[in-house]
């Protein structure tokens, strides 16, 4: 059993990854512009905005066709609200509109994340602080730990 939390610092374009696995707590503070530890980067991605729309989680969303090597798939974004650099924790960080439906891969775990609702609220900055009981690790160590959670060894 584990929990993984990614906190994006949009001003500094950095992501902090906190992992609690079986009571062991580790944190990796990412470098500016890099994806969170364990998230797979897409290779040679091409985007095509289709103009087709759908409502996802109550948000008007536009479909974008993605070409990444031999893989092709769709993602959805919304312009219903604005966030500065909304996608820095994803491989779609060059897209300026918030994502509402998209695939992502954490280590060997392939997922599709879809918005089920939207609420605008102020979040206290204390929520984003790393607790003192987390041990700092390198990116390589964090990725090795994450990968080990998805293997049988």
């Amino acid at each position: 059993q584990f929990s993984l939390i990614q906190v994006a610092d949009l001003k500094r374009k950095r992501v902090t990854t906190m992992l609690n696995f079986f009571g062991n707590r580790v944190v990796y503070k990412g470098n500016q512009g890099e994806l969170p530890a364990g998230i797979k980067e897409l290779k040679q991605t091409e985007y095509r905005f289709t103009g087709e729309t759908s409502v996802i989680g109550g948000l008007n969303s536009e479909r974008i066709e993605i070409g990444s090597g031999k893989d092709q798939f769709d993602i959805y974004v919304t312009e219903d609200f604005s966030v500065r650099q909304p996608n820095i924790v994803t491989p779609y960080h060059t897209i300026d509109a918030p994502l509402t439906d998209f695939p992502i891969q954490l280590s060997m775990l392939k997922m599709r994340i879809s918005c089920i609702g939207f609420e605008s609220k102020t979040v206290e900055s204390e929520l984003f602080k790393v607790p003192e009981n987390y041990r700092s690790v390198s990116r390589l160590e964090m990725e090795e730990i994450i990968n080990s959670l998805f293997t049988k060894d």
Side-chain angles (χ1 to χ4, degrees), residues 9-33:
D9 180 338
L10 300 179
K11 277 186 185 171
R12 294 177 185 87
K13 299 181 187 176
R14 295 173 43 148
V15 179
T16 298
T17 302
M18 292 181 279
L19 176 64
N20 180 348
F21 62 104
F22 307 109
N24 297 299
R25 293 172 176 86
V26 293
V27 61
Y28 170 68
K29 294 184 179 183
N31 295 316
Q32 186 175 24

Side-chain angles (χ1 to χ4, degrees), residues 3-5 16-21 25-29 36-38 106 134-149:
S3 66
L4 181 87
I5 299 170
T16 298
T17 302
M18 292 181 279
L19 176 64
N20 180 348
F21 62 104
R25 293 172 176 86
V26 293
V27 61
Y28 170 68
K29 294 184 179 183
L106 172 67
Y134 276 72
R135 177 176 56 90
S136 186
V137 296
S138 68
R139 180 179 183 90
L140 179 63
E141 187 175 353
M142 178 64 85
E143 289 187 335
E144 287 173 352
I145 295 168
I146 290 169
N147 289 339
S148 75
L149 296 171

Side-chain angles (χ1 to χ4, degrees), residues 1 3 11 15-16 34 38 59 73 84-87 114 136:
Q1 181 174 338
S3 66
K11 277 186 185 171
V15 179
T16 298
E34 75 179 357
L59 299 167
F73 53 90
R84 187 176 21 146
Q85 303 162 344
N87 304 314
S114 187
S136 186

